[in-house]
Amino acid sequence: MIRVLITGGAGFIGTNLANKLIHDGYEVIIIDDLSSGYRESIHDKAIFVEGSIVDDLALSKCFEYNPDYVIHLAALFANQNSVDHPDLDLNINGLGTIKVLDWCHKNGVSKVVYASSSCVYGDKKLMSESDEDFHPDTPYAITKLLGERYAQFWSKHHNLNIASVRLFNVYGPGDFPGAYRSVLPNFIKLAIDNEPLVITGTGEETRDFCYIDDTVNGICLVLFGKTKPGSIFNIATGNKTSIIKIANYINVNCNNKAGIVFKDKRDWDCVIHRKADISKINSLLGYSANTHIKNGIKNTCDWLMKINS
């Protein structure tokens, strides 16, 4: 049986990936320190190693299972967290990535997918993989770009087959609200509690929101597809949606009458519009995002309302 190791596999994206891979007949090993993941979210058929990617003993336990593939998701998430804790961000996203890649190289892993972020683009009009002029504006964005550079180094100098994927504003069931978490589940939690949704900025800012099923599909296409070592792919929808439209969708789905309030934008958040160019992954691997934003938000609201009932 083919074995896939997922670092950060108890988190939102990791658990959804594990569920799909196990359903498709793969054996899944998960390493997670549970700092932001949830043990109860881990599939009961997955092999679980509790520990950090900066801990060689924990990594050695994972590689005792001889994984064929590795999906490296583990990271300190995300921008605000990295602004508040830049040293921790560098340790996990920088040193942790080096350790994971080194263990993959020494154990003959067939392929690695490194999860990067759309944050590396900064405030770019055209967010295309061909662009090499970056202006990351948070420690998280800096270390995510650093991880891409390490991936390319290991590909070139150690012949490790690695592809990086830049993920864009992933959302969906399994993404819990909380401090340093994504805007969408935190909006939904406010709506469930009949509180106004707090928008930092004008609300006209846009993001490329990609539903979890489409993100998981994209990662699997990259993992098992034929790609050049060191390749980079955007995984997104190729569309942009305003934050105020997202908030209105959520209030309608949750029957929240409290409305919306506005606050000044965060001083580090300089990205006004974000939309991915997905032509590369579409042409090379046949990827497309199939979930409409309204349907994805409804599914996410229904899930969070159910677990909060």
PDB file of all heavy atoms in Angstrom, residues 286-306:
ATOM      1  N   GLY A 286      -4.891  19.733 -15.427  1.00  0.00           N
ATOM      2  CA  GLY A 286      -6.337  19.649 -15.603  1.00  0.00           C
ATOM      3  C   GLY A 286      -7.143  20.110 -14.406  1.00  0.00           C
ATOM      4  O   GLY A 286      -8.310  19.730 -14.241  1.00  0.00           O
ATOM      5  N   TYR A 287      -6.549  20.968 -13.587  1.00  0.00           N
ATOM      6  CA  TYR A 287      -7.245  21.445 -12.385  1.00  0.00           C
ATOM      7  C   TYR A 287      -8.240  22.543 -12.718  1.00  0.00           C
ATOM      8  O   TYR A 287      -7.995  23.408 -13.562  1.00  0.00           O
ATOM      9  CB  TYR A 287      -6.236  21.992 -11.378  1.00  0.00           C
ATOM     10  CG  TYR A 287      -6.865  22.798 -10.264  1.00  0.00           C
ATOM     11  CD1 TYR A 287      -7.358  22.167  -9.115  1.00  0.00           C
ATOM     12  CD2 TYR A 287      -6.980  24.184 -10.352  1.00  0.00           C
ATOM     13  CE1 TYR A 287      -7.943  22.903  -8.102  1.00  0.00           C
ATOM     14  CE2 TYR A 287      -7.565  24.929  -9.335  1.00  0.00           C
ATOM     15  CZ  TYR A 287      -8.051  24.273  -8.211  1.00  0.00           C
ATOM     16  OH  TYR A 287      -8.637  25.007  -7.211  1.00  0.00           O
ATOM     17  N   SER A 288      -9.372  22.503 -12.008  1.00  0.00           N
ATOM     18  CA  SER A 288     -10.299  23.638 -11.983  1.00  0.00           C
ATOM     19  C   SER A 288     -11.034  23.599 -10.657  1.00  0.00           C
ATOM     20  O   SER A 288     -11.191  22.537 -10.043  1.00  0.00           O
ATOM     21  CB  SER A 288     -11.291  23.588 -13.150  1.00  0.00           C
ATOM     22  OG  SER A 288     -12.097  22.423 -13.078  1.00  0.00           O
ATOM     23  N   ALA A 289     -11.464  24.766 -10.200  1.00  0.00           N
ATOM     24  CA  ALA A 289     -12.242  24.854  -8.961  1.00  0.00           C
ATOM     25  C   ALA A 289     -13.723  24.777  -9.318  1.00  0.00           C
ATOM     26  O   ALA A 289     -14.203  25.548 -10.149  1.00  0.00           O
ATOM     27  CB  ALA A 289     -11.932  26.151  -8.232  1.00  0.00           C
ATOM     28  N   ASN A 290     -14.437  23.853  -8.695  1.00  0.00           N
ATOM     29  CA  ASN A 290     -15.817  23.576  -9.100  1.00  0.00           C
ATOM     30  C   ASN A 290     -16.872  24.064  -8.118  1.00  0.00           C
ATOM     31  O   ASN A 290     -18.068  23.959  -8.406  1.00  0.00           O
ATOM     32  CB  ASN A 290     -15.991  22.065  -9.303  1.00  0.00           C
ATOM     33  CG  ASN A 290     -15.079  21.519 -10.384  1.00  0.00           C
ATOM     34  OD1 ASN A 290     -14.962  22.105 -11.451  1.00  0.00           O
ATOM     35  ND2 ASN A 290     -14.409  20.407 -10.099  1.00  0.00           N
ATOM     36  N   THR A 291     -16.461  24.586  -6.969  1.00  0.00           N
ATOM     37  CA  THR A 291     -17.415  24.974  -5.933  1.00  0.00           C
ATOM     38  C   THR A 291     -17.684  26.469  -5.984  1.00  0.00           C
ATOM     39  O   THR A 291     -16.755  27.275  -5.787  1.00  0.00           O
ATOM     40  CB  THR A 291     -16.900  24.597  -4.528  1.00  0.00           C
ATOM     41  OG1 THR A 291     -16.533  23.218  -4.524  1.00  0.00           O
ATOM     42  CG2 THR A 291     -17.983  24.839  -3.479  1.00  0.00           C
ATOM     43  N   HIS A 292     -18.930  26.850  -6.224  1.00  0.00           N
ATOM     44  CA  HIS A 292     -19.290  28.264  -6.234  1.00  0.00           C
ATOM     45  C   HIS A 292     -19.221  28.812  -4.816  1.00  0.00           C
ATOM     46  O   HIS A 292     -19.546  28.108  -3.848  1.00  0.00           O
ATOM     47  CB  HIS A 292     -20.702  28.457  -6.800  1.00  0.00           C
ATOM     48  CG  HIS A 292     -21.052  29.882  -7.078  1.00  0.00           C
ATOM     49  ND1 HIS A 292     -21.510  30.739  -6.094  1.00  0.00           N
ATOM     50  CD2 HIS A 292     -21.006  30.607  -8.229  1.00  0.00           C
ATOM     51  CE1 HIS A 292     -21.727  31.931  -6.621  1.00  0.00           C
ATOM     52  NE2 HIS A 292     -21.431  31.884  -7.912  1.00  0.00           N
ATOM     53  N   ILE A 293     -18.814  30.055  -4.680  1.00  0.00           N
ATOM     54  CA  ILE A 293     -18.617  30.652  -3.360  1.00  0.00           C
ATOM     55  C   ILE A 293     -19.889  30.592  -2.509  1.00  0.00           C
ATOM     56  O   ILE A 293     -19.826  30.343  -1.302  1.00  0.00           O
ATOM     57  CB  ILE A 293     -18.097  32.104  -3.497  1.00  0.00           C
ATOM     58  CG1 ILE A 293     -17.715  32.689  -2.142  1.00  0.00           C
ATOM     59  CG2 ILE A 293     -19.092  32.971  -4.237  1.00  0.00           C
ATOM     60  CD1 ILE A 293     -16.514  32.080  -1.504  1.00  0.00           C
ATOM     61  N   LYS A 294     -21.059  30.792  -3.107  1.00  0.00           N
ATOM     62  CA  LYS A 294     -22.303  30.738  -2.331  1.00  0.00           C
ATOM     63  C   LYS A 294     -22.533  29.351  -1.766  1.00  0.00           C
ATOM     64  O   LYS A 294     -22.938  29.200  -0.600  1.00  0.00           O
ATOM     65  CB  LYS A 294     -23.488  31.157  -3.203  1.00  0.00           C
ATOM     66  CG  LYS A 294     -23.611  32.648  -3.450  1.00  0.00           C
ATOM     67  CD  LYS A 294     -24.914  32.958  -4.178  1.00  0.00           C
ATOM     68  CE  LYS A 294     -25.097  34.456  -4.368  1.00  0.00           C
ATOM     69  NZ  LYS A 294     -26.371  34.760  -5.072  1.00  0.00           N
ATOM     70  N   ASN A 295     -22.289  28.312  -2.560  1.00  0.00           N
ATOM     71  CA  ASN A 295     -22.469  26.940  -2.091  1.00  0.00           C
ATOM     72  C   ASN A 295     -21.443  26.580  -1.029  1.00  0.00           C
ATOM     73  O   ASN A 295     -21.761  25.915  -0.035  1.00  0.00           O
ATOM     74  CB  ASN A 295     -22.372  25.965  -3.261  1.00  0.00           C
ATOM     75  CG  ASN A 295     -23.469  26.151  -4.280  1.00  0.00           C
ATOM     76  OD1 ASN A 295     -24.574  26.587  -3.936  1.00  0.00           O
ATOM     77  ND2 ASN A 295     -23.198  25.833  -5.534  1.00  0.00           N
ATOM     78  N   GLY A 296     -20.205  27.020  -1.238  1.00  0.00           N
ATOM     79  CA  GLY A 296     -19.161  26.727  -0.256  1.00  0.00           C
ATOM     80  C   GLY A 296     -19.440  27.382   1.079  1.00  0.00           C
ATOM     81  O   GLY A 296     -19.247  26.769   2.144  1.00  0.00           O
ATOM     82  N   ILE A 297     -19.913  28.618   1.057  1.00  0.00           N
ATOM     83  CA  ILE A 297     -20.230  29.309   2.305  1.00  0.00           C
ATOM     84  C   ILE A 297     -21.413  28.647   2.998  1.00  0.00           C
ATOM     85  O   ILE A 297     -21.409  28.472   4.220  1.00  0.00           O
ATOM     86  CB  ILE A 297     -20.497  30.803   2.037  1.00  0.00           C
ATOM     87  CG1 ILE A 297     -19.179  31.511   1.746  1.00  0.00           C
ATOM     88  CG2 ILE A 297     -21.191  31.465   3.232  1.00  0.00           C
ATOM     89  CD1 ILE A 297     -19.312  32.966   1.398  1.00  0.00           C
ATOM     90  N   LYS A 298     -22.429  28.252   2.227  1.00  0.00           N
ATOM     91  CA  LYS A 298     -23.577  27.572   2.837  1.00  0.00           C
ATOM     92  C   LYS A 298     -23.135  26.280   3.521  1.00  0.00           C
ATOM     93  O   LYS A 298     -23.533  25.992   4.655  1.00  0.00           O
ATOM     94  CB  LYS A 298     -24.642  27.259   1.795  1.00  0.00           C
ATOM     95  CG  LYS A 298     -25.899  26.615   2.394  1.00  0.00           C
ATOM     96  CD  LYS A 298     -26.928  26.281   1.347  1.00  0.00           C
ATOM     97  CE  LYS A 298     -28.211  25.762   2.010  1.00  0.00           C
ATOM     98  NZ  LYS A 298     -27.972  24.603   2.902  1.00  0.00           N
ATOM     99  N   ASN A 299     -22.295  25.485   2.839  1.00  0.00           N
ATOM    100  CA  ASN A 299     -21.804  24.243   3.435  1.00  0.00           C
ATOM    101  C   ASN A 299     -21.034  24.516   4.724  1.00  0.00           C
ATOM    102  O   ASN A 299     -21.169  23.780   5.720  1.00  0.00           O
ATOM    103  CB  ASN A 299     -20.885  23.513   2.457  1.00  0.00           C
ATOM    104  CG  ASN A 299     -21.609  22.995   1.236  1.00  0.00           C
ATOM    105  OD1 ASN A 299     -22.838  22.914   1.220  1.00  0.00           O
ATOM    106  ND2 ASN A 299     -20.862  22.655   0.200  1.00  0.00           N
ATOM    107  N   THR A 300     -20.220  25.555   4.709  1.00  0.00           N
ATOM    108  CA  THR A 300     -19.405  25.886   5.878  1.00  0.00           C
ATOM    109  C   THR A 300     -20.273  26.388   7.029  1.00  0.00           C
ATOM    110  O   THR A 300     -20.070  26.007   8.189  1.00  0.00           O
ATOM    111  CB  THR A 300     -18.339  26.933   5.521  1.00  0.00           C
ATOM    112  OG1 THR A 300     -17.661  26.535   4.324  1.00  0.00           O
ATOM    113  CG2 THR A 300     -17.326  27.088   6.635  1.00  0.00           C
ATOM    114  N   CYS A 301     -21.252  27.243   6.725  1.00  0.00           N
ATOM    115  CA  CYS A 301     -22.179  27.719   7.758  1.00  0.00           C
ATOM    116  C   CYS A 301     -22.971  26.560   8.357  1.00  0.00           C
ATOM    117  O   CYS A 301     -23.124  26.470   9.582  1.00  0.00           O
ATOM    118  CB  CYS A 301     -23.145  28.743   7.161  1.00  0.00           C
ATOM    119  SG  CYS A 301     -22.408  30.335   6.764  1.00  0.00           S
ATOM    120  N   ASP A 302     -23.470  25.663   7.502  1.00  0.00           N
ATOM    121  CA  ASP A 302     -24.259  24.516   7.982  1.00  0.00           C
ATOM    122  C   ASP A 302     -23.413  23.651   8.913  1.00  0.00           C
ATOM    123  O   ASP A 302     -23.901  23.193   9.969  1.00  0.00           O
ATOM    124  CB  ASP A 302     -24.747  23.677   6.809  1.00  0.00           C
ATOM    125  CG  ASP A 302     -25.852  24.370   6.006  1.00  0.00           C
ATOM    126  OD1 ASP A 302     -26.404  25.384   6.500  1.00  0.00           O
ATOM    127  OD2 ASP A 302     -26.158  23.890   4.903  1.00  0.00           O
ATOM    128  N   TRP A 303     -22.143  23.415   8.543  1.00  0.00           N
ATOM    129  CA  TRP A 303     -21.270  22.591   9.382  1.00  0.00           C
ATOM    130  C   TRP A 303     -21.014  23.232  10.737  1.00  0.00           C
ATOM    131  O   TRP A 303     -21.147  22.583  11.772  1.00  0.00           O
ATOM    132  CB  TRP A 303     -19.934  22.351   8.656  1.00  0.00           C
ATOM    133  CG  TRP A 303     -18.867  21.789   9.554  1.00  0.00           C
ATOM    134  CD1 TRP A 303     -18.754  20.510   9.990  1.00  0.00           C
ATOM    135  CD2 TRP A 303     -17.804  22.520  10.172  1.00  0.00           C
ATOM    136  NE1 TRP A 303     -17.667  20.378  10.815  1.00  0.00           N
ATOM    137  CE2 TRP A 303     -17.065  21.600  10.946  1.00  0.00           C
ATOM    138  CE3 TRP A 303     -17.388  23.849  10.118  1.00  0.00           C
ATOM    139  CZ2 TRP A 303     -15.940  21.969  11.684  1.00  0.00           C
ATOM    140  CZ3 TRP A 303     -16.266  24.223  10.842  1.00  0.00           C
ATOM    141  CH2 TRP A 303     -15.557  23.300  11.609  1.00  0.00           C
ATOM    142  N   LEU A 304     -20.668  24.514  10.736  1.00  0.00           N
ATOM    143  CA  LEU A 304     -20.340  25.175  12.006  1.00  0.00           C
ATOM    144  C   LEU A 304     -21.579  25.355  12.880  1.00  0.00           C
ATOM    145  O   LEU A 304     -21.487  25.247  14.110  1.00  0.00           O
ATOM    146  CB  LEU A 304     -19.666  26.514  11.730  1.00  0.00           C
ATOM    147  CG  LEU A 304     -18.811  27.101  12.862  1.00  0.00           C
ATOM    148  CD1 LEU A 304     -17.830  26.076  13.415  1.00  0.00           C
ATOM    149  CD2 LEU A 304     -18.045  28.327  12.378  1.00  0.00           C
ATOM    150  N   MET A 305     -22.731  25.607  12.271  1.00  0.00           N
ATOM    151  CA  MET A 305     -23.963  25.707  13.065  1.00  0.00           C
ATOM    152  C   MET A 305     -24.310  24.369  13.688  1.00  0.00           C
ATOM    153  O   MET A 305     -24.782  24.296  14.831  1.00  0.00           O
ATOM    154  CB  MET A 305     -25.119  26.209  12.181  1.00  0.00           C
ATOM    155  CG  MET A 305     -25.043  27.697  11.879  1.00  0.00           C
ATOM    156  SD  MET A 305     -26.549  28.358  11.085  1.00  0.00           S
ATOM    157  CE  MET A 305     -26.423  27.606   9.453  1.00  0.00           C
ATOM    158  N   LYS A 306     -24.038  23.279  12.957  1.00  0.00           N
ATOM    159  CA  LYS A 306     -24.335  21.950  13.475  1.00  0.00           C
ATOM    160  C   LYS A 306     -23.475  21.607  14.677  1.00  0.00           C
ATOM    161  O   LYS A 306     -23.987  21.092  15.689  1.00  0.00           O
ATOM    162  CB  LYS A 306     -24.130  20.894  12.359  1.00  0.00           C
ATOM    163  CG  LYS A 306     -24.466  19.476  12.803  1.00  0.00           C
ATOM    164  CD  LYS A 306     -24.295  18.512  11.654  1.00  0.00           C
ATOM    165  CE  LYS A 306     -24.621  17.081  12.083  1.00  0.00           C
ATOM    166  NZ  LYS A 306     -24.419  16.116  10.954  1.00  0.00           N
TER     167      LYS A 306
END
